[in-house]
Amino acid sequence: MEALYLKIRDELARQIKNRVYREGETLPSEDELAERFGVSRPTIRRAIQELVDDGVLEKKPYRGTTVCPAKIEQGFTTMLRSFNEEILANGRIPRTTVLTARVQEASPEASSRMSVEVGAPLFKLVRLRYAGDYPNVLVSSLIPLDMYPGIVEVDFSQESLYAYFRKYGKPVVRAHRQLEVMKASSGMAALLDIDEGDPVYRFYTTATTEAGRVAEYTTATYRGRSNAFEFDVSLVDGSQVNG
């Protein structure tokens, strides 16, 4: 016989799917739900935890249990397109807050990754990017100033970085990405509105122009519970895989 908490989990999931409880809405208290379903609080708590583990609900101190937004299907791992294009394709409204926009010298690490001299001027751009009302990704980018000298004058709360590259006549045409799954630090958690220790996806991207110059080196940290990423995989020689 199916456990009672699983039946309640499925009923709550059905109500969320049917928009009885909408994205961002707070569920009734455990006491109210226990009375409504005629069960104990521990049973309700277990049903809710199942939905939290599935990324359907999230618990926030002093805010109760709220309905998570549907996961954003990220296709940028299989194609080159901007954050704004990704979010619009998912039916959300993108928004950007610029946290840092300044010129700095290239460190030895940046020099190695970007094929520039140590001390070369770089434009550092840090943005917190939203999908609707929710912070979705923290993006830190380094751009060679000699390639895009007018970049310091651009308002990147309104302008897309990749759109700017295209308008400047030096668009990005290829990118190499590295993925790391990690736990959110306290500062990262505060910016992304998640709990410290929650899983996040971190992508390291080196993007180049047609001429082979590195246009940007970027670290992007995504909310784990809000995003799903697509990957295309094929056999190198077309032979059959067994096992």
Side-chain angles (χ1 to χ4, degrees):
M1 180 179 295
E2 186 179 24
L4 185 55
Y5 79 90
L6 293 176
K7 292 182 179 179
I8 295 171
R9 176 203 65 186
D10 291 345
E11 175 58 21
L12 287 173
R14 184 191 67 78
Q15 291 179 4
I16 291 168
K17 183 178 180 180
N18 292 336
R19 300 175 67 82
V20 175
Y21 300 113
R22 298 172 180 268
E23 178 181 311
E25 187 173 345
T26 301
L27 263 60
S29 68
E30 290 181 359
D31 285 336
E32 291 175 288
L33 289 173
E35 183 176 352
R36 183 177 303 176
F37 284 103
V39 297
S40 65
R41 281 185 63 191
T43 300
I44 292 295
R45 190 174 300 120
R46 191 169 181 185
I48 287 174
Q49 188 58 51
E50 287 272 320
L51 293 173
V52 170
D53 293 342
D54 289 343
V56 177
L57 298 174
E58 63 179 337
K59 293 181 177 179
K60 287 292 183 182
Y62 312 112
R63 285 163 47 183
T65 302
T66 59
V67 178
C68 293
K71 281 187 178 290
I72 297 167
E73 300 293 334
Q74 297 280 3
F76 79 84
T77 50
T78 61
M79 67 185 78
L80 271 174
R81 63 180 182 182
S82 69
F83 174 83
N84 286 354
E85 291 168 330
E86 289 282 357
I87 299 307
L88 289 170
N90 278 269
R92 311 287 182 87
I93 303 300
R95 179 167 62 88
T96 298
T97 298
V98 175
L99 304 181
T100 302
R102 68 166 186 260
V103 176
Q104 66 180 44
E105 295 183 352
S107 66
E109 180 185 2
S111 168
S112 174
R113 292 184 179 276
M114 303 180 69
S115 299
V116 298
E117 294 184 358
V118 174
L122 302 176
F123 181 67
K124 181 172 184 177
L125 178 64
V126 182
R127 295 165 291 169
L128 184 59
R129 315 204 70 179
Y130 291 76
D133 295 329
Y134 288 84
N136 190 60
V137 57
L138 177 65
V139 187
S140 178
S141 303
L142 293 174
I143 300 102
L145 198 60
D146 70 311
M147 289 182 65
Y148 307 98
I151 198 169
V152 295
E153 307 298 332
V154 179
D155 179 5
F156 284 104
S157 66
Q158 303 298 321
E159 177 78 272
S160 160
L161 183 60
Y162 277 21
Y164 173 74
F165 287 164
R166 287 193 295 269
K167 286 197 297 186
Y168 207 84
K170 297 178 181 178
V172 163
V173 298
R174 64 184 63 86
H176 173 77
R177 303 192 199 277
Q178 178 184 351
L179 170 62
E180 180 181 6
V181 180
M182 58 195 301
K183 293 182 178 180
S185 65
S186 58
M188 191 187 305
L191 287 169
L192 293 175
D193 193 23
I194 56 179
D195 293 328
E196 183 177 357
D198 274 4
V200 293
Y201 300 105
R202 174 166 286 182
F203 283 90
Y204 302 91
T205 298
T206 304
T208 55
T209 65
E210 188 65 50
R213 282 288 309 271
V214 175
E216 63 154 343
Y217 175 68
T218 290
T219 302
T221 306
Y222 286 81
R223 257 176 157 247
R225 68 182 61 178
S226 300
N227 296 276
F229 296 90
E230 301 175 10
F231 295 88
D232 288 333
V233 180
S234 61
L235 296 176
V236 174
D237 59 4
S239 60
Q240 184 176 354
V241 173
N242 295 313

